[in-house]
Amino acid sequence: MERDDALLNDWRQRALALEAEVAKAVIGQQRVIRAVNTAVFARGHVLLQGDVGVGKTTLLRAFARVLGGAFARTEGTIDLMPNDLVYYTYIGADGRPAVEAGPLIEHGPELAIFFFNEINRARPQVHSLLLRVMAERSVSAFNREVRFPHLLVFADRNRVEREETFEISSAARDRFMMEITIDAPATDDDRRALMLDPRFHDTDRLVATLQPAMVPYAELNAVAEAIQHQVRAAPALQDYALGLWRATAVPAEYGVKLPDLDTARLMLAGASPRGMSMLMRATRVAAWLAGRDYATPEDVQAVFFDTLAHRLCLQPVYEMRRPEITGPLMAGILAAVAAP
């Protein structure tokens, strides 16, 4: 037990060092950096959303660099097809057609981070392929099964443009452990730095200044499982999480009220069992990053929105208003369910 505690303490210092390194390239985003780091050590996929130019791509590229391992990326475009991730064809120097492995399988089992930029520009067929990769960490290619035991999918999308974009289905979004919103920094000092400091004007050079491969990525799965076994969730905390789960399905029964909305008719479905297991995985990592071997209600609350909001299914009439509804709804649920 003492050996496990020492191991996790050592890894906690590494995890905090990762955050500090990423913060050198992405300023004013401590909450978002902590959320992504939580997902990394919970071994969950991450979807970032936000306005244009707020640093979504920079943040995910920065994490990919400091984590190390094989890295691949693709750009979402309206003409991208599933096969484009698996292979590509070209005419060789000898004038004959040739086939090469695509970005998803070129590194084989060593692939650690697959970054999908502007995922909402890709067609639903591409989302479907990605869905399997995220769920099973494998794909069929060239008459064989390619497995990715260390894979995390990082994706981003901007929430402004609607032209030539495709909404990600509920099933696909549910595969992401966290859907995190990133906004422009709040303080004038951070905004001034981003506007005037030349260091932030060249993203490629900025990311290249970060220390690469700060952790042995192949050990992350084992560390993540050790965290889940070592961090305790007391019975009272478990009951609290169950209460939150029930409230996501029937918020009106818990007294949740929203202006101009009938919460009794709002929900089509609440959080799923998978969603709640993801919540508790992230909760234990949040406690570990805080230096504790037990989880608290504050740990649950810290990851509640990012892990569950995108999983809730609203009645179709309310779906177009999802961005303005989910924030107050999740806050209302947290206020309505008594913490131990």
Side-chain angles (χ1 to χ4, degrees):
M1 181 68 72
E2 291 183 2
R3 181 179 179 182
D4 291 340
D5 290 343
L7 173 66
L8 288 184
N9 185 62
D10 175 61
W11 269 93
R12 177 176 174 269
Q13 299 308 315
R14 297 186 190 188
L16 296 178
L18 287 176
E19 289 186 8
E21 191 69 11
V22 171
K24 295 177 182 178
V26 185
I27 62 173
Q29 301 292 351
Q30 286 77 11
R31 186 200 72 82
V32 176
I33 292 172
R34 171 56 60 92
V36 175
N37 206 31
T38 299
V40 165
F41 282 90
R43 308 310 290 152
H45 310 294
V46 175
L47 175 62
L48 272 188
Q49 69 164 353
D51 296 338
V52 177
V54 294
K56 301 182 298 296
T57 301
T58 302
L59 173 62
L60 295 181
R61 286 183 58 190
F63 261 102
R65 179 170 176 83
V66 300
L67 287 170
F71 168 75
R73 69 179 289 173
T74 194
E75 305 295 320
T77 60
I78 193 171
D79 59 348
L80 186 72
M81 296 302 290
N83 287 343
D84 295 328
L85 302 183
V86 179
Y87 66 86
Y88 67 94
T89 59
Y90 63 97
I91 302 299
D94 58 359
R96 305 177 68 178
V99 179
E100 294 286 348
L104 185 59
I105 67 170
E106 64 178 327
H107 299 291
E110 300 304 312
L111 182 62
I113 301 291
F114 185 72
F115 177 35
F116 205 127
N117 193 34
E118 296 278 7
I119 187 173
N120 57 325
R121 292 196 180 280
R123 294 174 178 272
Q125 298 95 316
V126 180
H127 298 164
S128 295
L129 174 65
L130 194 66
L131 183 69
R132 176 188 170 176
V133 173
M134 293 167 64
E136 304 176 10
R137 288 185 166 87
S138 68
V139 70
S140 298
F142 300 108
N143 297 319
R144 62 189 177 92
E145 191 85 355
V146 182
R147 302 199 63 81
F148 314 107
H150 310 296
L151 174 65
L152 290 181
V153 172
F154 287 171
D156 70 10
R157 64 175 179 178
N158 78 65
R159 61 186 176 187
V160 175
E161 295 179 297
R162 299 292 183 182
E163 295 294 328
E164 296 186 342
T165 62
F166 300 87
E167 186 54 65
I168 304 172
S169 70
S170 297
R173 293 171 67 185
D174 190 62
R175 297 294 181 183
F176 288 98
M177 169 174 274
M178 289 189 178
E179 182 175 305
I180 305 166
T181 298
I182 178 171
D183 296 308
T187 70
D188 285 345
D189 287 344
D190 289 337
R191 290 178 178 232
R192 184 176 288 109
L194 291 173
M195 183 171 60
L196 299 175
D197 189 339
R199 188 167 67 91
F200 297 106
H201 298 171
D202 187 333
T203 300
D204 291 338
R205 181 176 296 178
L206 178 64
V207 172
T209 63
L210 303 181
Q211 182 179 341
M214 294 178 64
V215 296
Y217 76 94
E219 298 178 21
L220 285 172
N221 287 342
V223 171
E225 285 308 302
I227 293 169
Q228 297 304 312
H229 285 96
Q230 289 291 99
V231 177
R232 293 172 284 111
L237 187 75
Q238 297 174 27
D239 292 339
Y240 177 55
L242 285 170
L244 293 173
W245 187 1
R246 296 189 186 100
T248 63
V250 286
E253 294 183 12
Y254 283 77
V256 178
K257 297 181 179 180
L258 300 178
D260 304 320
L261 282 177
D262 181 1
T263 52
R265 307 175 65 142
L266 176 63
M267 302 305 300
L268 184 62
S272 65
R274 174 167 56 206
M276 293 306 298
S277 70
M278 292 287 190
L279 172 70
M280 293 311 298
R281 284 188 70 86
T283 293
R284 287 189 169 96
V285 174
W288 171 70
L289 287 171
R292 288 180 272 100
D293 65 353
Y294 60 92
T296 68
E298 290 74 20
D299 297 320
V300 177
Q301 294 159 8
V303 299
F304 183 67
F305 185 89
D306 291 335
T307 55
L308 288 189
H310 63 290
R311 303 174 192 277
L312 303 187
C313 295
L314 308 182
Q315 291 288 350
V317 68
Y318 295 114
E319 271 298 332
M320 290 299 293
R321 298 174 59 190
R322 169 179 284 272
E324 65 184 79
I325 290 175
T326 52
L329 173 63
M330 301 299 275
I333 290 172
L334 287 177
V337 179

